[in-house]
Structure formats: structure tokens, C-alpha cells
Amino acid sequence: MILTSLARYYRRLAAETDITGNPKVPPYGFSEEKIGWILVLDADGKLIDVVPHLTADKKPQPKLMSVPRPEKKSVNISPNFLWGNTQYVLGVTKKEAKDNSRTTQCFESFKQYHLDLLQQETDEGLQALYRFLRQWQPENFTDSPCSPEMLDANVVFKLDGSSGYIHQREAAQTLWAGCLKNDEAEQGVCLISGEEAPIVRLHPSIKGIFGGQSSGGSIISFNKESFASFGKEQGANAPVSEAAAFAYTTALNYLLCRENGHCLSIGDTSTVFWAEAADVQQAAAAEDFFADTLTPPDDEQEAQKILDILEQIAKGRPLREIAPKLSDDTKFYILGLAPNAARISIRFWLDTTFGQLAVNLAQHWQDLALEPRAWKTPPSLWRLLLQTAVLGKSENISPVLAGEMTRAVIGGTPYPLSLLAQLIARIRADGDANGLRVDMIKAVLQRRFRKGFIHEEVAMSLDSESRNQAYLLGRLFAVLERIQYQALGELNAGISDRYYGSASAVPFSVFPHLLSGAKHHLSRLRKDKGGMAVNLDKDLGAIIELLPETFPRHLNIEEQGRFAIGYYHQKQSYFAKKESAETSAN
């Protein structure tokens, strides 16, 4: 299913062109590779110039170019057709080694491979390359137009006075098509196309996975006997034709290229997405909307537009009425990939309609909704996950948790309980029950309520009528904290710093002591701020009246979540009153 969808997407991309008028993806047998320099040859094969093929950034980088697909290498020596790095093409490298035997072997393999292929060719460009290889020696590098900056970069060839590159010439294309025919390839029925075709032995590399190897990895590979069946080797264990393997890997490499806007990094997972619709514009609109939902734009007005659409979807309004460019029937695919040495792990896969996906995304924001709102622009999934990390550092985000949370957001499934546990652990560790953390706690509990796992809904704003003990205890703790602050001012370590963790887990052992201290604080407060003392004493009494005679001995993980929500609601109510009073005075 995954490979078939990617192969279909490749056919769509092959029919489209980019802003330069070129196809978005290379044809069969070619690949988009980073090329840093162009070697210009004259008709006699002499190197007369080198031209950089670099970006115009402060730190120039090689630009992508469509070239004959590279050979799959690990430690083996295998040259590419009409291009390669300087170790292969020129016999020079900046890598320090005890001897240059490998560099010599790489250069000789590239040289002999092309001398054998090109000796009968009559094309002027191919003959120039043939002559160049016969006369070039690695020692010539220092006396030629070459620059030390070229070392280890990929290079291609160009015939002086002609347009295009040598590998783009018609004779080169014909020669390469003949090289692609593999008479030794095993014939079989392709799992993707269902047709009889040559079966690929080693699948092309997939590059661009966040945290993966620079040389790329594979989704399908068999490198141990335990993975093989019935005496088959490598790709024959999961037969995919050479053309289909090229199609799905090319499409995936296109999606993983960040410049194309189809990839998001969530934890250690590279999340790619694409759509299938009646026309290209409709598919692009769905893809853009999904990207903006998971990573909202910084502009507050644009982010609010996205949120407004999601809120309308959550209320049941048809998508075509809210956003005419979007269609419920658009097919939508989301694939999460994570590095695993030379292999690539599939973290999650979603094959759905855009209408259902939009409902799932709208439900995510509805579950997160809490008053007062903790953000001006909707937080991205990445920003939410940072709240679970020690010291708020991205490298401390659990990759498993990131994958499970993403799956819950896009699939509409319950959020993992590990998310709730991690959030509560962070609040207990640093005492910061901030809005984003409480938003996520509320989302976990609210979704569990909707799925029938718990039987009490979670309030969006302060619920003074709630009889839930954990929620009341959270409110009570916020009142006690407020009393201490008004009586003593800012302290190095208030009760939230010292007692939040134990109060939310074992209330019986903490609250009697805190209530005793509150009496002294209120007594002191009555001398300086009588009206404030009366109001806080009323809040204290109203909450205690709803609680049982004895405090519970412990609260489970879900009750600790409600404690955090009650604490946040009550604490924010005091800020709301203060802002309201200041507004009235003004």
C-alpha cells in the first residue's frame, strides 16, 4: 500500500514541471544529486576550466542536478556513469589516509569503466571525455584550473562551446539506457505493478531522513540469512521491479527534500505527506492546509484563519462551505520515517480522505482548548512536545512519545497515557504548570472521556460547581499559594516549589500542614489588606465545603491531571480579575 501510493505519486510528479520548466522528478534511471562543480573539456579532452555549481548563500552549497542514478555503495568500489566525486573522477581527495591505495583504485575503476564504454562512441562530447581520461593523471590537479575547494565534491562534465552537459547528450542518454538493461536480473511478478518484470536486487537509497546516514538507507533490504526465505537472496524476497523501485524511492526522496514543503521533523521522525485529487491545485491546497495545521504560520492573522476553519469543522459545517479550495474526497497520505542504521523504520502510516483528516485535526485543537488561552498563535506539534522534554531541549524528546502523539493527532486515536505521565513528571520536577502543559493534560483526559475510558468531562474554564476531588484540590492549592503570595510577597521557594508534587500525589500528608500555615498568612493579611483577606478566605471556604472530611491518601495519574487543571483554572482566575479591575479603572 505504501509503495504503491508512492509510485502513483511519482507518476503525478513526472507529469508536472517546476518554475524552471523542468520535470519535478527525474526520468527512470536518473537521480537528483548534489553537484558542486562542472569540468569543462575541449574537443581534445583537455581540462580548460572548472565552473562552480553552488548556491548563492553565505556558505555556498552544491546544487541539485539530474544525473544518471548512482551505484549503491557501502565499502565497495563502484563508479557512477559520467559523474562522481573527485576521488573517483580525478583521483584526488582531502581525506587523510596511511596510503592512497583506495583513491587509486577508485580512480582506476572510474577510468577503466568509461574507457571500455566510450571507445566505440563517435559523439564529440563522449570522445572528449574518452580523451580526457586517457591523459589525466591525479598529479595534474595542482597544475590545472582546479581548486582545493573542489575536493570530495561531486562533478560533471561539459564540452566547451556546447549547451548542456555531457551526460545530457543524446548519445549519452542512449548509452545509459543500454547500461540500465540487466540481462542477469531475475524475472518475477512485481508486488507494486503486478506485472512480470526484472526484479531489483538492491533498492535505491532514500536520503534526507532526519538523523539518518548521509549515504541514505532502505525501507526494503535483506542483509541476514534469517531475513530470507526459500533460498532467495536480497530483493527477491520481496519482489519489486526495477522501474517500480525507482519510482517509489524517487518520490520519497522528493518528499524528504525540505525545500519542496512536504516534510516535517517531529522528534526523530521525518513526516512526509502528499495528496491525490481531481486536479493539482486541489491536492496542493490540501497539502498546504495540513502543513499549516501542524506548523502554524508565525503571522497571528494567518494562524487565526487556520484555527477558524478547524473550529468550523469541529462544529460540523461541511468543508466545501468553509474552504471551497478543499475537498472532503481528496485522498491524503502521511508517512513517518525514522533512522535505524542503514535501514529506515516506519513509525506510522495514514491512508485516509482529507475530510476525515480535517475532522481529526479539528478535534485535536478542540481537545486542546482551555480558558484562558495559553498562546497567541496556535502551537505546532513540535512546540507541544518540547513541554515534555527535560530543560525544554529537543534532544530530550522521547522519539517513541513523538511518534505516538503524532499518530493520535492525525488518526483521531486516544493520546498516549505516557504523554500524561511525562507532563505531570515535568510539572513536579520544575513546578511549572504552564498553559501549554495543562492544555495537553486537558486534551488527554478530554479525549479519553469522548472515547469512553473515563466518565467525567473536563471543564474548559473554571468550574466552580465541579465536585471532582482532584480538581477541587488543585483549586485549593492555588488559593493557598495566592494567600501566601499576598501575605509574604515573592519568595525564593513558595509552596508551589516545595509542595506541588506531594500535594498532587498524596494530599493527605500535605494539605493539613498547608491549611495550618494559611491561617497565619490570613491573619497577617487582614492587618494590611483586609478586603483581599476576606475574598481569599471566602474562596478557601467555598472549596473546603465541597471536599469530604478527610483528604484522599493518594491520587492516580488521571486525578493528578485534573489536579493540574484545577490549579491552573483557579490561579488564572486571579489574573483575570486583576486585568478586569485594571480595565475598569482605566
Side-chain angles (χ1 to χ4, degrees), residues 355-403:
Q356 183 58 54
L357 176 63
V359 169
N360 294 341
L361 294 174
Q363 196 61 67
H364 165 66
W365 290 109
Q366 192 175 41
D367 289 339
L368 277 177
L370 196 68
E371 293 296 337
R373 183 181 289 184
W375 32 265
K376 290 184 178 179
T377 58
S380 65
L381 193 55
W382 178 247
R383 183 179 163 196
L384 293 174
L385 284 167
L386 279 175
Q387 298 299 322
T388 69
V390 178
L391 301 177
K393 294 184 177 180
S394 57
E395 59 266 27
N396 295 330
I397 295 175
S398 164
V400 176
L401 177 60

Side-chain angles (χ1 to χ4, degrees), residues 108-126:
E108 289 299 327
S109 70
F110 183 86
K111 177 179 178 180
Q112 195 59 49
Y113 173 68
H114 286 86
L115 290 178
D116 293 341
L117 279 176
L118 305 179
Q119 59 182 341
Q120 302 298 327
E121 294 296 322
T122 58
D123 177 79
E124 188 180 11
L126 295 179

Side-chain angles (χ1 to χ4, degrees), residues 344-361:
I344 297 172
S345 301
I346 295 177
R347 279 280 165 81
F348 48 82
W349 162 247
L350 185 68
D351 174 0
T352 186
T353 62
F354 186 73
Q356 183 58 54
L357 176 63
V359 169
N360 294 341
L361 294 174

Side-chain angles (χ1 to χ4, degrees), residues 498-513:
R498 301 175 61 183
Y499 297 109
Y500 180 91
S502 52
S504 63
V506 283
F508 181 82
S509 62
V510 176
F511 274 101
H513 170 68

